[in-house]
Amino acid sequence: MVGLPDPAASRAVLIGTAAYRHLPALSAVEANITDLAAVLCDATVWGLPEQHCVTVTDPQSASAMLDPVHQAAEQALDTLVVYFAGHGMRDSESADLYLGLVGSRENTGYTAVAYQHVRTALRSARARRKIVVLDCCFSGRAARTLAAGDEVLAAQAAVDGAFVLTASPRDRVALAPDGERHTAFTGEMLTLLRDGIEDGPELIDLDTLHRVLEERLRAKNRPLPQRSQENGVGRLPLARNRARAARHVPAGPVLATDVRAAMVAAGLGVARMLRAAGRSRDALPVLRLALQEQVPDGERNLLAVQLELSDMLAENGQTREAIEVLEQAFQQVHKIYGPDALLVCRRLADLLQESGNHIQACEVLKHALELAEDQLRVPD
């Protein structure tokens, strides 16, 4: 079964405009951003490191909204999530979707940010999968522009590996119910991610997320979400199904390997918190200690530790040690097919090339190609 996107190689940008000078305020948007960030970073849901989840509230300009998206697009190698909540607007001269800024005015697209600029950031992203979630009026226009078919913009707007989930159809308004903490769409999505889906899969993929959201919002007579996708990204798992968490299960014997695996996972979590707080120097010895544990069935956790440690070492100019850590990981990944193996190869090749070891970098990339070819031969 395909696992969740690698949190260490993924990024999320959550944008929300709640305060407006010329349009009605949307107080629920602020809660949307705060609570969605907490859910995505919750280890029982996805476990995205806090430093990989950027929030942008009440952007005053196009650059304030889009610069974080372009930065995340440069950093993300596995999955990039871009979320917007606020007023969605139409221009009097076109059918395009515009995302509201603090100073935006009705029917004047030039005072807002055209959604096409978000598409531009997606096209340049290094991530293999891109997810866009739009909680705004007329947001179905974004889904339309990414859909296949004969529509004018479809061919130009398609983005490889993209999934777009919107709060409303192209000509319908979204809903922010009075007295509720969240908007209708995001509130339902948060409930689903927090509580899970009874009788649902162990991991909630994007198609399942859309289907259940549609069922629940239809039952409440609220605007129905829309989706469009490229390359079957809807099958990508995004969150653990918390409804499937084992309850009242008698504990079995605690094995030494279980303790070591827990130590590795705990060390990784502590190091990520320290790094998010700007204390990378304190995080380094924690990761080095975690790497000393030998966990026969814990390759994924150890790989995550190695990737995190190599990142911090490279950031601190300790390139030689970063290469040594990745070379250790490289010895493991020949047994593993998937994004973790390819990510190790790519990072190691980059560092080798930067240090002038071009021949070794080529050998690593050759191995990455062989892994990719083997993965393509594995039946679904």
Side-chain angles (χ1 to χ4, degrees):
M1 179 176 60
V2 178
L4 294 176
D6 178 10
S10 300
R11 298 293 188 274
V13 182
L14 312 182
I15 306 165
T17 309
Y20 295 87
R21 287 196 289 270
H22 309 293
L23 299 170
L26 297 172
S27 58
V29 166
E30 186 174 355
N32 283 3
I33 297 296
T34 300
D35 294 349
L36 183 57
V39 166
L40 294 180
C41 295
D42 187 330
T44 65
V45 179
W46 182 11
L48 191 68
E50 291 183 8
Q51 70 270 23
H52 292 179
C53 185
V54 176
T55 60
V56 180
T57 55
D58 295 333
Q60 301 276 342
S61 65
S63 60
M65 179 184 290
L66 295 173
D67 283 352
V69 178
H70 281 278
Q71 183 176 0
E74 281 289 318
Q75 297 170 341
L77 298 177
D78 190 320
T79 300
L80 172 63
V81 179
V82 178
Y83 168 93
F84 172 80
H87 280 299
M89 303 167 58
R90 294 177 293 187
D91 187 88
S92 58
E93 300 298 325
S94 73
D96 291 340
L97 171 67
Y98 293 82
L99 309 180
L101 298 167
V102 170
S104 294
R105 299 193 300 273
E106 190 68 40
N107 294 322
T108 50
Y110 63 86
T111 65
V113 175
Y115 175 71
Q116 64 180 349
H117 295 311
V118 177
R119 294 203 304 268
T120 298
L122 291 176
R123 286 197 190 96
S124 66
R126 302 168 65 191
R128 296 186 301 118
R129 287 82 61 101
K130 303 104 179 177
I131 303 168
V132 181
V133 182
L134 300 175
D135 189 352
C136 60
C137 297
F138 317 117
S139 52
R141 293 168 181 266
R144 175 183 63 85
T145 57
L146 279 174
D150 296 328
E151 298 194 45
V152 176
L153 295 178
Q156 297 176 348
V159 179
D160 288 342
F163 184 97
V164 179
L165 180 63
T166 70
S168 65
R170 64 186 301 268
D171 291 317
R172 289 284 306 277
V173 296
L175 187 63
D178 290 337
E180 295 189 17
R181 175 174 172 81
H182 307 104
T183 58
F185 170 79
T186 297
E188 205 65 56
M189 183 170 65
L190 285 168
T191 299
L192 191 157
L193 293 174
R194 286 169 171 165
D195 299 340
I197 304 170
E198 293 292 341
D199 300 322
E202 182 178 346
L203 299 178
I204 300 173
D205 59 63
L206 293 167
D207 284 337
T208 301
L209 179 67
H210 169 261
R211 176 180 57 79
V212 177
L213 281 174
E214 184 179 43
E215 291 172 355
R216 295 182 180 182
L217 289 167
R218 186 187 300 276
K220 296 180 179 181
N221 197 29
R222 293 182 168 181
L224 300 181
Q226 308 293 303
R227 67 170 172 180
S228 64
Q229 61 179 301
E230 296 286 334
N231 300 341
V233 182
R235 296 190 296 271
L236 172 70
L238 184 63
R240 297 176 177 86
N241 186 358
R242 296 181 70 173
R244 291 283 301 270
R247 298 173 183 173
H248 311 299
V249 178
V254 178
L255 305 177
T257 53
D258 297 329
V259 175
R260 291 198 295 269
M263 290 176 65
V264 171
L268 180 61
V270 169
R272 284 174 172 169
M273 285 190 292
L274 289 170
R275 189 181 183 188
R279 298 173 57 187
S280 296
R281 182 173 297 180
D282 295 325
L284 286 173
V286 175
L287 290 173
R288 289 191 178 105
L289 184 62
L291 276 185
Q292 294 177 13
E293 298 298 331
Q294 299 298 318
V295 188
D297 297 321
E299 289 94 346
R300 284 188 64 87
N301 271 339
L302 283 176
L303 273 177
V305 170
Q306 289 163 323
L307 290 168
E308 194 84 16
L309 178 56
S310 65
D311 265 359
M312 282 192 279
L313 289 168
E315 288 173 2
N316 291 321
Q318 298 171 259
T319 304
R320 179 175 295 180
E321 187 177 352
I323 290 175
E324 291 175 357
V325 171
L326 286 176
E327 284 177 338
Q328 294 172 6
F330 184 71
Q331 298 306 314
Q332 298 170 285
V333 297
H334 73 279
K335 302 178 296 182
I336 303 171
Y337 302 120
D340 289 330
L342 297 177
L343 183 58
V344 168
C345 293
R346 181 170 183 170
R347 290 190 183 178
L348 179 55
D350 285 345
L351 287 179
L352 288 169
Q353 188 172 8
E354 289 174 10
S355 62
N357 297 325
H358 302 293
I359 295 178
Q360 288 179 270
C362 289
E363 289 296 323
V364 172
L365 290 175
K366 179 181 177 182
H367 183 74
L369 287 173
E370 292 172 352
L371 284 176
E373 290 172 356
D374 288 341
Q375 187 175 11
L376 290 173
R377 285 194 291 267
V378 176
D380 293 334

Short mmCIF file of all heavy atoms in Angstrom, two decimals, residues 18-40:
data_model
loop_
_atom_site.label_atom_id
_atom_site.label_comp_id
_atom_site.label_asym_id
_atom_site.label_seq_id
_atom_site.Cartn_x
_atom_site.Cartn_y
_atom_site.Cartn_z
N ALA A 18 -9.00 37.46 5.75
CA ALA A 18 -10.20 37.61 6.59
C ALA A 18 -10.67 39.06 6.65
O ALA A 18 -11.85 39.34 6.78
CB ALA A 18 -9.92 37.08 7.99
N ALA A 19 -9.73 40.01 6.58
CA ALA A 19 -10.05 41.44 6.72
C ALA A 19 -10.00 42.11 5.35
O ALA A 19 -9.06 41.90 4.58
CB ALA A 19 -9.05 42.10 7.67
N TYR A 20 -11.01 42.89 5.06
CA TYR A 20 -11.09 43.58 3.77
C TYR A 20 -11.49 45.04 3.99
O TYR A 20 -12.26 45.35 4.91
CB TYR A 20 -12.13 42.91 2.86
CG TYR A 20 -11.78 41.51 2.45
CD1 TYR A 20 -12.13 40.42 3.24
CD2 TYR A 20 -11.08 41.26 1.27
CE1 TYR A 20 -11.80 39.13 2.88
CE2 TYR A 20 -10.74 39.97 0.89
CZ TYR A 20 -11.11 38.91 1.70
OH TYR A 20 -10.77 37.63 1.34
N ARG A 21 -10.99 45.90 3.13
CA ARG A 21 -11.36 47.32 3.22
C ARG A 21 -12.65 47.62 2.46
O ARG A 21 -13.39 48.52 2.84
CB ARG A 21 -10.22 48.18 2.68
CG ARG A 21 -9.01 48.25 3.60
CD ARG A 21 -8.09 49.40 3.23
NE ARG A 21 -7.39 49.14 1.98
CZ ARG A 21 -6.20 48.54 1.90
NH1 ARG A 21 -5.60 48.12 3.02
NH2 ARG A 21 -5.61 48.35 0.75
N HIS A 22 -12.93 46.87 1.39
CA HIS A 22 -14.08 47.19 0.53
C HIS A 22 -15.07 46.04 0.42
O HIS A 22 -16.09 46.19 -0.25
CB HIS A 22 -13.60 47.56 -0.87
CG HIS A 22 -12.53 48.61 -0.89
ND1 HIS A 22 -12.76 49.92 -0.51
CD2 HIS A 22 -11.20 48.54 -1.20
CE1 HIS A 22 -11.64 50.61 -0.61
NE2 HIS A 22 -10.68 49.79 -1.02
N LEU A 23 -14.78 44.91 1.05
CA LEU A 23 -15.65 43.74 0.99
C LEU A 23 -15.98 43.27 2.40
O LEU A 23 -15.27 43.62 3.36
CB LEU A 23 -14.94 42.60 0.22
CG LEU A 23 -14.56 42.89 -1.23
CD1 LEU A 23 -13.66 41.78 -1.77
CD2 LEU A 23 -15.82 43.02 -2.09
N PRO A 24 -17.04 42.48 2.58
CA PRO A 24 -17.38 41.99 3.93
C PRO A 24 -16.25 41.17 4.54
O PRO A 24 -15.59 40.38 3.86
CB PRO A 24 -18.62 41.12 3.68
CG PRO A 24 -19.20 41.63 2.40
CD PRO A 24 -18.04 42.06 1.56
N ALA A 25 -16.03 41.38 5.82
CA ALA A 25 -15.00 40.61 6.54
C ALA A 25 -15.43 39.15 6.65
O ALA A 25 -16.63 38.83 6.67
CB ALA A 25 -14.77 41.20 7.92
N LEU A 26 -14.45 38.25 6.72
CA LEU A 26 -14.70 36.81 6.86
C LEU A 26 -13.93 36.31 8.09
O LEU A 26 -12.82 35.78 7.98
CB LEU A 26 -14.25 36.06 5.61
CG LEU A 26 -14.98 36.41 4.31
CD1 LEU A 26 -14.30 35.73 3.12
CD2 LEU A 26 -16.44 36.00 4.38
N SER A 27 -14.52 36.49 9.25
CA SER A 27 -13.81 36.18 10.50
C SER A 27 -13.46 34.69 10.60
O SER A 27 -12.46 34.32 11.24
CB SER A 27 -14.64 36.60 11.70
OG SER A 27 -15.91 35.96 11.69
N ALA A 28 -14.26 33.81 9.96
CA ALA A 28 -14.00 32.38 10.06
C ALA A 28 -12.70 31.97 9.38
O ALA A 28 -12.12 30.93 9.70
CB ALA A 28 -15.17 31.60 9.46
N VAL A 29 -12.22 32.79 8.44
CA VAL A 29 -11.02 32.43 7.68
C VAL A 29 -9.80 32.31 8.60
O VAL A 29 -8.96 31.42 8.43
CB VAL A 29 -10.77 33.45 6.56
CG1 VAL A 29 -9.36 33.30 5.98
CG2 VAL A 29 -11.81 33.28 5.46
N GLU A 30 -9.69 33.19 9.57
CA GLU A 30 -8.55 33.13 10.49
C GLU A 30 -8.52 31.80 11.23
O GLU A 30 -7.46 31.18 11.40
CB GLU A 30 -8.61 34.30 11.47
CG GLU A 30 -7.39 34.39 12.37
CD GLU A 30 -7.40 35.64 13.24
OE1 GLU A 30 -8.30 36.48 13.08
OE2 GLU A 30 -6.49 35.76 14.09
N ALA A 31 -9.69 31.35 11.70
CA ALA A 31 -9.76 30.05 12.38
C ALA A 31 -9.46 28.91 11.41
O ALA A 31 -8.82 27.92 11.78
CB ALA A 31 -11.14 29.86 13.00
N ASN A 32 -9.90 29.04 10.15
CA ASN A 32 -9.57 28.04 9.14
C ASN A 32 -8.06 27.80 9.07
O ASN A 32 -7.59 26.66 9.11
CB ASN A 32 -10.03 28.50 7.75
CG ASN A 32 -11.52 28.36 7.52
OD1 ASN A 32 -12.26 27.96 8.42
ND2 ASN A 32 -11.96 28.69 6.33
N ILE A 33 -7.32 28.90 8.95
CA ILE A 33 -5.87 28.80 8.77
C ILE A 33 -5.21 28.20 10.00
O ILE A 33 -4.39 27.27 9.91
CB ILE A 33 -5.28 30.20 8.47
CG1 ILE A 33 -5.84 30.76 7.17
CG2 ILE A 33 -3.76 30.14 8.41
CD1 ILE A 33 -5.48 29.98 5.94
N THR A 34 -5.56 28.72 11.17
CA THR A 34 -4.95 28.25 12.42
C THR A 34 -5.20 26.76 12.63
O THR A 34 -4.29 25.99 12.93
CB THR A 34 -5.49 29.04 13.60
OG1 THR A 34 -5.18 30.43 13.42
CG2 THR A 34 -4.88 28.57 14.91
N ASP A 35 -6.45 26.34 12.47
CA ASP A 35 -6.81 24.96 12.78
C ASP A 35 -6.33 23.98 11.71
O ASP A 35 -5.96 22.85 12.03
CB ASP A 35 -8.32 24.85 12.98
CG ASP A 35 -8.80 25.61 14.20
OD1 ASP A 35 -7.94 26.04 15.00
OD2 ASP A 35 -10.02 25.81 14.36
N LEU A 36 -6.33 24.41 10.44
CA LEU A 36 -5.84 23.51 9.38
C LEU A 36 -4.34 23.28 9.54
O LEU A 36 -3.85 22.15 9.34
CB LEU A 36 -6.15 24.09 8.01
CG LEU A 36 -5.75 23.22 6.81
CD1 LEU A 36 -6.41 21.85 6.88
CD2 LEU A 36 -6.13 23.91 5.50
N ALA A 37 -3.59 24.31 9.90
CA ALA A 37 -2.15 24.14 10.14
C ALA A 37 -1.91 23.14 11.26
O ALA A 37 -1.03 22.26 11.16
CB ALA A 37 -1.51 25.49 10.47
N ALA A 38 -2.70 23.25 12.34
CA ALA A 38 -2.53 22.33 13.47
C ALA A 38 -2.83 20.89 13.06
O ALA A 38 -2.14 19.96 13.48
CB ALA A 38 -3.44 22.77 14.62
N VAL A 39 -3.86 20.70 12.23
CA VAL A 39 -4.23 19.34 11.81
C VAL A 39 -3.15 18.74 10.90
O VAL A 39 -2.76 17.58 11.08
CB VAL A 39 -5.60 19.37 11.09
CG1 VAL A 39 -5.84 18.06 10.35
CG2 VAL A 39 -6.71 19.59 12.11
N LEU A 40 -2.66 19.51 9.94
CA LEU A 40 -1.64 18.98 9.03
C LEU A 40 -0.35 18.61 9.77
O LEU A 40 0.37 17.69 9.38
CB LEU A 40 -1.34 19.98 7.92
CG LEU A 40 -2.48 20.27 6.93
CD1 LEU A 40 -2.03 21.29 5.90
CD2 LEU A 40 -2.95 18.99 6.25
#
